[in-house]
Amino acid sequence: MNDIFSKCATSEGYFGQFRAQGDRYYTMPVMESVPGKIMKFQGRDCLMWSINNYLGLAENEEVKQAALEAMKVWGTSGPMGSRMMSGNTVEHIKLEESLADFAQKESSILFNYGYLGVIGTVASLVGPDDVIVMDKLVHASIVDAAFGAVSDRRHVRVFRHNDMDSLESRLKSLRETVKGGILILTEGVYGMTGDVARLRDICEIKDRYGARLFVDDAHGVGVMGPTGRGTAEHFGVQDKVDLYFGTFAKAFASIGGFTAANRDAVEWIRYNARTQVFAKSLPMIYVKALQKTLDLVRDGDARRKQMFYIADKLASGLSELGYYIGKVDSPLVPVFIPEGNQVTAMEWISFLRDKGIFVTGVTYPVIPKNYIMFRMVPTASHTDEDVEKTVAAFRSLRDERGLTLHYDIDAISNIYGDPEV
């Protein structure tokens, strides 16, 4: 009999080489200060381009004060117990009603973590005869939700990223054979590559085939759309999305998440999502802080404008140096560098961090071979001076490392699928 722990002393598994080396520089880097545009890493201040603090609310004093007042009354634990038993409060219900109104849905349900919210929502709704159809590049939480919800893995189908022909082909093949319903899973903004789902087309197709649509808008809520309601608002299809999911870990700078939908669907999820039914209630310190955060998100037009201004300025400055920037509608700035692999990626990350610019990199298989992508997150807290310092560091990287910035645009474009029409 093999010991189940035998693998643990090897370099196998996710990031196995880094784990075996005890790395804390490239994986699990230890940050030595509170979240913000300037963070301390290995004893020095760095300009941070790797946290999803889109609206700069991690630094907001009003949110901190709301949390402090809640802590004085409730401590860090209250209320105690699951909401099904002893952990439900008027404040939880009030926040859910506010989130439903914000998402322009009849009702919403809170989850303690975004990851568990996705899993709980999908698993509670998908039955043994139902089929899931999901985009190839969806987040790990959606993949886990999909395969955890079905008893037969053949009930999960994948379509090419943002490829509407591929989606329709999957739905056509299912129309004559599926005994139950169909649930389409997609993100709103794809947090790794920065592009947005073609929600207008997806909604048209799902209606034609009688499917339901779940949108994980973790990187879109508070960020996208005229009033920050998200990617569906950006495309004018908020009313067409059946299940709208948002997390608090990005623009809301907190923890947890919510699913908004029609009242019957939310009540079903409330009583059947195991990740919430059997979990302790979200502590009041977060509930009260999130009530204040939601007010700031609603009134966040100036912050969103600043965020997109910084994104445009950063993208333009790096483009002028010869770097290829992914063409996206979100504020994310994906910076591609050719002739990249894991070794050069580590070297270039170290070079930029030594210049006081904190970035993280992505390599194959997320992006095409022989490229590295720096996924940079502009926020409302960044300034013109921050962008200028960052562009100067990338200029030094290009010149001192002799980078040859020649690109296979077709290969990069394949990440994003067909452009939005």
Side-chain angles (χ1 to χ4, degrees):
M1 182 183 298
N2 290 326
D3 181 1
I4 197 170
F5 281 6
S6 61
K7 68 178 77 68
C8 302
T10 72
S11 60
E12 298 175 1
Y14 293 142
F15 308 104
Q17 175 187 347
F18 295 101
R19 176 180 50 77
Q21 295 172 353
D23 173 64
R24 288 297 181 270
Y25 185 92
Y26 302 104
T27 60
M28 298 191 184
V30 179
M31 309 310 297
E32 300 158 3
S33 59
V34 297
K37 72 162 188 172
I38 303 292
M39 296 184 70
K40 194 173 291 293
F41 176 63
Q42 295 196 337
R44 66 179 299 170
D45 287 340
C46 289
L47 260 173
M48 171 56 68
W49 295 100
S50 294
I51 63 172
N52 302 310
N53 181 29
Y54 291 108
L55 301 183
L57 296 180
E59 305 100 312
N60 187 270
E61 293 300 325
E62 292 180 82
V63 175
K64 292 179 184 179
Q65 186 61 35
L68 182 60
E69 291 173 1
M71 186 186 70
K72 288 178 180 178
V73 176
W74 293 84
T76 58
S77 60
M80 293 292 291
S82 73
R83 290 184 67 189
M84 293 288 287
M85 301 292 288
S86 57
N88 201 17
T89 74
V90 170
E91 298 301 329
H92 286 74
I93 296 170
K94 178 182 174 182
L95 178 57
E96 287 177 332
E97 290 174 346
S98 296
L99 288 164
D101 177 73
F102 179 66
Q104 297 180 326
K105 300 296 182 185
E106 290 181 355
S107 187
S108 80
I109 174 176
L110 283 170
F111 288 94
N112 294 355
Y113 289 95
Y115 206 110
L116 295 181
V118 173
I119 291 175
T121 298
V122 174
S124 69
L125 288 167
V126 174
D129 292 327
D130 300 327
V131 175
I132 290 171
V133 180
M134 65 182 181
D135 188 290
K136 181 180 179 180
L137 293 189
V138 292
H139 187 265
S141 63
I142 302 177
V143 175
D144 289 350
F147 285 106
V150 300
S151 57
D152 187 339
R153 294 174 70 89
R154 291 175 298 180
H155 283 208
V156 176
R157 307 292 175 88
V158 178
F159 64 95
R160 290 191 299 272
H161 178 54
N162 250 351
D163 186 322
M164 298 302 99
D165 290 338
S166 179
L167 171 60
E168 185 156 19
S169 174
R170 298 294 181 272
L171 296 177
K172 277 183 179 178
S173 68
L174 291 170
R175 183 164 53 182
E176 302 301 326
T177 59
V178 65
K179 296 179 180 179
I182 300 172
L183 180 62
I184 301 170
L185 307 180
T186 180
E187 294 185 52
V189 174
Y190 281 82
M192 192 58 65
T193 52
D195 60 323
V196 298
R198 296 176 57 180
L199 290 184
R200 194 178 298 123
D201 293 333
I202 293 173
C203 286
E204 190 276 325
I205 293 172
K206 68 99 177 174
D207 284 345
R208 197 184 327 145
Y209 287 88
R212 295 289 188 175
L213 173 63
F214 171 94
V215 176
D216 178 353
D217 211 17
H219 292 270
V221 63
V223 175
M224 301 292 290
T227 64
R229 284 184 164 87
T231 312
E233 183 190 46
H234 172 73
F235 285 115
V237 292
Q238 193 82 4
D239 61 326
K240 298 289 188 181
V241 173
D242 300 293
L243 296 155
Y244 180 81
F245 182 83
T247 182
F248 303 132
K250 276 70 177 178
F252 283 67
S254 186
I255 199 75
F258 71 99
T259 296
N262 69 45
R263 195 169 305 280
D264 286 345
V266 169
E267 288 305 298
W268 177 271
I269 296 165
R270 195 184 307 282
Y271 281 82
N272 291 278
R274 293 170 61 85
T275 60
Q276 193 62 15
V277 169
F278 298 101
K280 179 186 178 298
S281 177
L282 187 68
M284 190 65 75
I285 189 172
Y286 294 111
V287 172
K288 296 299 288 185
L290 285 164
Q291 288 174 350
K292 172 55 66 175
T293 303
L294 180 56
D295 289 341
L296 295 171
V297 170
R298 285 183 183 274
D299 192 32
D301 186 55
R303 291 184 177 88
R304 282 184 284 274
K305 286 181 179 177
Q306 172 68 6
M307 171 191 64
F308 275 104
Y309 165 77
I310 290 296
D312 290 342
K313 188 177 181 69
L314 178 63
S316 297
L318 295 175
S319 294
E320 289 173 5
L321 294 177
Y323 293 98
Y324 180 82
I325 309 301
K327 307 303 182 185
V328 300
D329 290 332
S330 75
L332 288 167
V333 178
V335 185
F336 292 87
I337 305 180
E339 301 178 15
N341 53 45
Q342 191 177 86
V343 173
T344 54
M346 292 189 293
E347 178 189 349
W348 296 339
I349 288 170
S350 298
F351 181 95
L352 291 169
R353 290 182 184 178
D354 287 344
K355 296 282 186 182
I357 308 300
F358 192 97
V359 297
T360 50
V362 180
T363 58
Y364 179 82
V366 178
I367 62 173
K369 289 182 178 179
N370 304 318
Y371 283 92
I372 176 176
M373 182 186 77
F374 292 123
R375 172 190 172 275
M376 303 185 71
V377 187
T379 75
S381 298
H382 286 105
T383 64
D384 288 341
E385 292 75 17
D386 297 333
V387 173
E388 291 163 5
K389 179 178 178 180
T390 301
V391 171
F394 272 86
R395 180 184 293 109
S396 296
L397 174 65
R398 180 196 66 184
D399 296 344
E400 295 181 33
R401 291 295 182 265
L403 300 183
T404 303
L405 301 178
H406 296 314
Y407 294 90
D408 182 348
I409 302 301
D410 289 338
I412 296 174
S413 297
N414 283 336
I415 301 173
Y416 299 110
D418 296 332
E420 176 68 22
V421 177

